Amino acid sequence: MSDNDKKTTYGTIGWIDLSVPNAENVKDFYAEVAGWKPEPVSMGDYNDYSMLVDGEPKTGICHKTGPNSDIPSQWMIYINVENLDESVEVVKQKGGKLLTAIKDMGAYGRTCYIEDPAGAVCALFEPA
């Protein structure tokens, strides 16, 4: 991806997922309710799931364990930011709070879960 392509993603919602203790049951629930097709994503000793529509991943349903154990169990939007460190500082300055430390997601980038001054929760994501 060129620098120009990356810049167009800042400020947009890059992904939506759900981390819950019972991902196996919940992925089946949404498969039947919404018609999504679960595709396993190996996490080593368990699978999380990309949920597909017409063969394209549209969302994720993940187990609330390991690095996901501190993520609130709700549909989570990931907002792309250019510089996560700077965005986190602004969150604190503007009355928001960090729900997690910054997490390294390897080749994908880095993320942090926040709460805004009104109590709404989202994730900030800095693509690699």
Side-chain angles (χ1 to χ4, degrees), residues 91-114:
V91 166
K92 294 188 265 186
Q93 292 168 9
K94 296 295 184 179
K97 65 182 175 180
L98 306 182
L99 298 178
T100 68
I102 293 174
K103 298 178 180 201
D104 185 352
M105 299 179 72
Y108 297 106
R110 302 181 317 143
T111 193
C112 181
Y113 300 84
I114 66 164

Side-chain angles (χ1 to χ4, degrees), residues 41-115:
V41 177
S42 177
M43 303 305 288
D45 56 346
Y46 65 94
N47 289 322
D48 283 341
Y49 298 91
S50 282
M51 304 302 282
L52 309 180
V53 175
D54 296 328
E56 295 291 321
K58 297 299 180 184
T59 191
I61 297 180
C62 306
H63 289 277
K64 188 174 180 144
T65 187
N68 290 345
S69 62
D70 58 354
I71 299 172
S73 292
Q74 65 184 53
W75 282 104
M76 185 70 64
I77 64 168
Y78 290 74
I79 301 170
N80 293 327
V81 297
E82 185 171 9
N83 185 308
L84 185 57
D85 296 309
E86 289 177 7
S87 292
V88 162
E89 286 306 311
V90 174
V91 166
K92 294 188 265 186
Q93 292 168 9
K94 296 295 184 179
K97 65 182 175 180
L98 306 182
L99 298 178
T100 68
I102 293 174
K103 298 178 180 201
D104 185 352
M105 299 179 72
Y108 297 106
R110 302 181 317 143
T111 193
C112 181
Y113 300 84
I114 66 164
E115 182 178 296

Side-chain angles (χ1 to χ4, degrees), residues 5-26:
D5 291 337
K6 274 188 172 181
K7 288 181 183 175
T8 62
T9 66
Y10 301 140
T12 63
I13 296 172
W15 187 248
I16 301 168
D17 69 17
L18 176 64
S19 293
V20 292
N22 54 344
E24 294 294 328
N25 293 338
V26 172

